């Protein structure tokens, strides 16, 4: 895996927002940025059709990644920016790019005022199949959106970052996901809010004698398990402020609620396939569709 942040660009507003976010992420990581625009092979009868305008599609396609790279260099003059235009299947090429990069960034159309993502088939397929971290960025994402407000109560890129939020399963914690989240928080000098949701016990609370005690005992055990998983990571990243959130209920809903003020949400996805194809899990699905902030999906074994 190279220390490169790669972004998929297709000319849509969401992919342009993803490219701008990827450039800022590359600066945070001290890594070069690679812009990838996949050229889809047209059927022969379409390729032979005459151009209907003075500027051919081919010319526009060739210019798009170059223009994007030049615009990013103007905003981030010290950032190394490269671009490439491979031809082939979009999902296959982007999955390969995710496997060789430190992070792959893709765009996704937002729901607007409702929040969250309308995840396109390409983005969803890449997230489900990629073996490297993939971040999805909604259209309209601005540099100031990941930061707290300034003294005038206006979001400002000069203000501190909002928290990074991590969804964690204490029964199956993965070092790859934890490392990604702690590193992201450290680079942003932001708090890391670690969220763990656990299911209700089989009895309904307070209906029978002892239910309240059972709930309190479960609550203490779940909180202690979260603290224990995070202990070595607090030691590895002593400068990261860690906020532990252990709640009873739907893990997906708890994560969505906890990430309302996030600069980045991080979720894990176990690499596994079935006869029905790859899948992303209900917590990751909820994060992609209902969290406004960029969402990083970290694949792990």
């Amino acid at each position: 895996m190279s220390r490169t942040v790669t972004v998929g660009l297709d000319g849509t507003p969401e992919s342009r927002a993803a490219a701008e976010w990827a450039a800022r992420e590359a600066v945070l990581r001290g890594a070069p940025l690679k812009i990838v625009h996949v050229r889809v092979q047209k059927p022969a009868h379409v390729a032979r059709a005459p151009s209907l305008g003075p500027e051919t599609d081919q010319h526009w396609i060739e210019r798009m990644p170059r223009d994007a790279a030049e615009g990013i260099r103007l905003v981030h003059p010290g950032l190394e920016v490269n671009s490439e235009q491979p031809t082939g299947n979009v999902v296959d090429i982007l999955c390969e790019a995710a496997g060789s990069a430190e992070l792959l960034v893709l765009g996704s159309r937002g729901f607007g005022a409702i929040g969250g993502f309308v995840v396109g088939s390409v983005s969803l397929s890449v997230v489900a199949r990629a073996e490297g971290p993939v971040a999805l960025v909604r259209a309209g994402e601005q540099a100031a959106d990941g930061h707290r407000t300034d003294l005038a109560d206006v979001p400002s890129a000069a203000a501190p970052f909002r928290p990074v939020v991590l969804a964690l399963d204490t029964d199956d914690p993965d070092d790859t996901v934890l490392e990604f989240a702690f590193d992201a928080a450290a680079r942003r000098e932001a708090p890391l809010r670690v969220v763990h949701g656990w299911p209700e016990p089989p009895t309904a609370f307070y209906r029978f004698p002892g239910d309240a005690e059972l709930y309190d005992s479960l609550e203490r055990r779940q909180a202690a398990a979260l603290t224990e998983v995070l202990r070595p990571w607090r030691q590895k990243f002593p400068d990261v402020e860690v906020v532990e959130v252990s709640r009873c209920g739907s893990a997906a809903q708890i994560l969505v609620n906890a990430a309302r003020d996030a600069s980045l949400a991080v979720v894990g996805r176990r690499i596994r396939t079935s006869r029905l194809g790859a899948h992303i899990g209900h917590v990751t699905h909820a994060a992609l569709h209902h969290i406004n902030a960029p969402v990083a999906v970290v694949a792990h074994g």
Side-chain angles (χ1 to χ4, degrees), residues 51 62 77 97 108 132 158 187 191 200 204 262:
S51 173
E62 291 176 352
S108 187
R187 293 182 186 280
E200 296 181 358

Side-chain angles (χ1 to χ4, degrees), residues 169-183:
D169 180 0
T170 58
D171 292 331
D172 188 25
D174 185 85
D175 287 352
T176 303
V177 181
L178 284 156
E179 178 86 36
F180 185 96
F182 269 87
D183 180 72

